[in-house]
Amino acid sequence: MTFLDRISTGWKAWVLLFVITFGAAAPGVFNLPALDRDESRFAQASKQMLESGDYIRLRYQDELRNKKPAGIHWLQAGSTALFTGAEAKQIWTYRVPSWLGAAFATLACFWCGIPLIGRRASFLGAALFGATLLLTSEAHISKTDGVLVFLTTLSIGALARLYMRNDQSKRMALLFWTAMGLVFLIKGPVGPMVAAYAGIGAWVWMKATVGKGGDWWKVLLWWPGPLIFVALVLPWFLWIQAATQGEFIKGAVGKDLKDKFTGASEGHGGWPFYHLTHLPAWFFPATLMLAPACMAAWHRLKPRNDLGWKWLRDSAAIAAVVFAFLTVLLFILPLLLAAFWYISGRDDWKSRWPIGIDGLTDETRAIRFIVAWAALTFVFFELMPTLLSHYILPAYPAMGLLCGYAAVQLLDGVRMPVSRWISLTLFAIGAILLLAVSFPGVAVFYMEETAGDFKTVAASQVLEAWTAYRSFPLWLWWIGFALAGFATIEFARRRDGLAILLAIAASITIGWHVRIFMLPSQVWLQPTETARAALEEVCGVPAEDADCNAKAPARILALGYAEPSYILTLGTQNLHPPETPLDLPTDMAAYPVVYLVNFEDRKAVPAIADEVANLRAEATSMNLCITESEAHYALNYSNGDPVNFRAIRFDTGGCPGVSPAE
């Protein structure tokens, strides 16, 4: 028994795979501030569930957030209630479901692959998938994707067992429908769509080549399964429709979903082959096996004679026409499956695909299933007009399994010289990109570029304020550099097992460097944390009286700044434009009053300066004390604009000592 056999069997395999993703993401869960904008919006809606006790309607301050089902918010609210409470503003409590979801997704990938490609290949594929930069990044962001990929992969694992074993297992059918119901509550139809691509894609492929797709799926029609799905989804659907007077579906489908398919929603467009060009970084370190994975799948599935090649050419031509048609019809990818279904019914087409000299083996059927899952999902999200990097994540477990399948073949002595060097190049490109962007010199370069964009202050003054952020520890960076280099060398020497181990270690180490040292140290890229620093100078953070020598305000009034992280971490009650009042209150009981002002707001300059001058004039006429912080500078990465924060505090009855308590 080889080392790989020993490590991929028993409880050791499950623990190791869980630790890979859980450990790689852990520093980011606790070290990184709340991110704008999606993460903070999700967490804020969950926070308001706890504050209001309303677990049906989703709100962002006073606005209904009719975009996604409530499942992820229930998990985030439960996690926060368990670890802290409704008043908690620490972002890490909202990240726990994503953190656990991503780690369980790695286990689900392993479980899914066992009946398809065996334990050895599944273990390697799951390990590579579990260390990918995209998965470990989504693991420390409080959104839907970590839980989505776990439940989707779990459901496909149940499908894979029905497909491969053809045993009409009612237990697997119930598991499939339970996972479908849960994943629908997380992100609507995305999970069921991906599972359909895997199952229906494999069935259509079978029907197109041998004339029948098989009846392995019939147990899914057993009535308790669909009933479980309905029981999970329908109560929430009826509650949310009633609670919002029918507005939820209008917002989620008529607005949010429609916008994603009819254009680049919220400006999230991209270049052609967007997800493909992101693979060297996001799929790192599994890129080490990506080209061999494609080649191994091709060798298993390719035609065996001239008739097969003709079938393939004809299929490719029809696919091209269908994809062009899909571009016009909002990219309805299921039409592609319908086209092949029609084609498969024609006798002259059935005869063109020879099964191969070894017949239709279980291995061929398994690779068809995985390729259908990976390819259809990848193509669908590549064709969407709204392009965000994390959309492609549900395809990554399938791609990881293909990588594991190829890795075992390489370990068993199969030679793939061309694909090996292609993959080595992809791996090297990804490593160079990740190491380059996490080096201090890159941060300094962007600091200097950003400093020149400020209009209210000289660039030299901004750079002087950012001096402390120009360097950070590099010892993990050097370890990651060495591991990536050794992985490249060992893979070139055909010591593939050691190369995979080194590649995974390199990914984890580089990720730790980014999450422990690089990103937490770059406060100039954290506008809300920069705003907090300004507010703390005037004791202007609500509910932090004990940390100051003066009474803290009940809320903050922002001018020129409205990012969701500001609301999440500083309090739901805080106001931002256009709700911020532009006049000081006449009720003396309302004081102290604290304004957070961004003098660099591009949409309001010079109006911001005029508004602040008006506030100062009002304060003078009312004999109020005015206390101001120093200027604090940052880059708002959400919109690319610089920010120049000052906190201004207004008090009655003289100026108290407002310095932070010692």
Side-chain angles (χ1 to χ4, degrees), residues 190-364:
V190 175
M193 178 193 72
V194 174
Y197 284 160
I200 298 177
W203 186 88
V204 170
W205 199 336
M206 177 79 74
K207 184 171 175 59
T209 54
V210 300
K212 57 182 179 179
D215 61 357
W216 55 270
W217 50 269
K218 285 188 176 180
V219 70
L220 297 176
L221 302 180
W222 182 49
W223 65 268
L227 182 62
I228 288 175
F229 178 85
V230 172
L232 287 170
V233 173
L234 186 60
W236 161 79
F237 176 78
L238 296 177
W239 286 334
I240 191 67
Q241 280 294 91
T244 61
Q245 290 77 50
E247 291 297 316
F248 181 83
I249 293 298
K250 291 181 182 178
V253 178
K255 180 71 171 70
D256 186 58
L257 191 61
K258 178 178 74 67
D259 288 351
K260 287 179 169 58
F261 283 92
T262 57
S265 178
E266 298 182 3
H268 295 306
W271 52 87
F273 304 109
Y274 178 88
H275 294 294
L276 189 66
T277 55
H278 279 76
L279 282 178
W282 285 130
F283 200 54
F284 183 88
T287 47
L288 190 67
M289 288 291 164
L290 186 56
C294 295
M295 185 57 64
W298 171 248
H299 278 307
R300 172 51 50 183
L301 304 176
K302 70 178 181 180
R304 305 288 181 177
N305 59 27
D306 291 340
L307 282 178
W309 282 105
K310 188 175 188 304
W311 190 97
L312 185 66
R313 290 195 300 270
D314 293 342
S315 299
I318 289 181
V321 173
V322 171
F323 275 118
F325 184 61
L326 294 178
T327 304
V328 178
L329 292 181
L330 308 181
F331 315 116
I332 308 172
L333 195 61
L335 286 178
L336 179 62
L337 298 177
F340 275 104
W341 193 342
Y342 167 74
I343 294 168
S344 68
R346 298 174 53 185
D347 292 337
D348 57 329
W349 282 73
K350 295 176 187 176
S351 64
R352 291 184 181 180
W353 187 272
I355 300 306
I357 57 175
D358 55 354
L360 185 60
T361 63
D362 285 346
E363 185 176 353
T364 300

Side-chain angles (χ1 to χ4, degrees), residues 599-654:
F599 285 94
E600 280 282 340
D601 182 36
R602 297 294 174 85
K603 297 178 181 179
V605 175
I608 288 284
D610 295 338
E611 289 163 0
V612 172
N614 179 66
L615 290 171
R616 289 189 179 118
E618 286 185 1
T620 300
S621 66
M622 297 168 64
N623 293 320
L624 299 178
C625 172
I626 305 174
T627 308
E628 293 190 32
S629 72
E630 297 292 329
H632 292 259
Y633 313 112
L635 172 67
N636 186 350
Y637 59 84
S638 294
N639 56 20
D641 291 341
V643 292
N644 177 0
F645 286 127
R646 282 182 183 268
I648 307 176
R649 176 186 174 112
F650 300 94
D651 286 280
T652 60

Side-chain angles (χ1 to χ4, degrees), residues 8-31:
S8 62
T9 56
W11 61 269
K12 301 183 297 296
W14 301 97
V15 172
L16 284 171
L17 291 173
F18 183 88
V19 167
I20 286 174
T21 305
F22 193 79
V29 173
F30 299 100
N31 289 349

Side-chain angles (χ1 to χ4, degrees), residues 53-126:
D54 183 350
Y55 293 90
I56 301 300
R57 289 177 295 181
L58 307 178
R59 292 184 176 277
Y60 178 77
Q61 290 192 298
D62 294 329
E63 298 178 5
L64 286 174
R65 182 171 164 81
N66 294 329
K67 290 180 175 288
K68 301 287 189 299
I72 194 64
H73 298 286
W74 293 337
L75 293 175
Q76 291 177 358
S79 169
T80 299
L82 176 65
F83 290 111
T84 52
E87 73 287 349
K89 302 172 185 176
Q90 300 97 327
I91 186 62
W92 73 267
T93 63
Y94 301 94
R95 289 171 169 165
V96 170
S98 295
W99 189 19
L100 290 173
F104 283 126
T106 304
L107 301 186
C109 180
F110 178 48
W111 182 75
C112 179
I114 289 173
L116 294 168
I117 56 177
R119 296 187 71 92
R120 299 167 77 231
S122 295
F123 179 81
L124 290 176

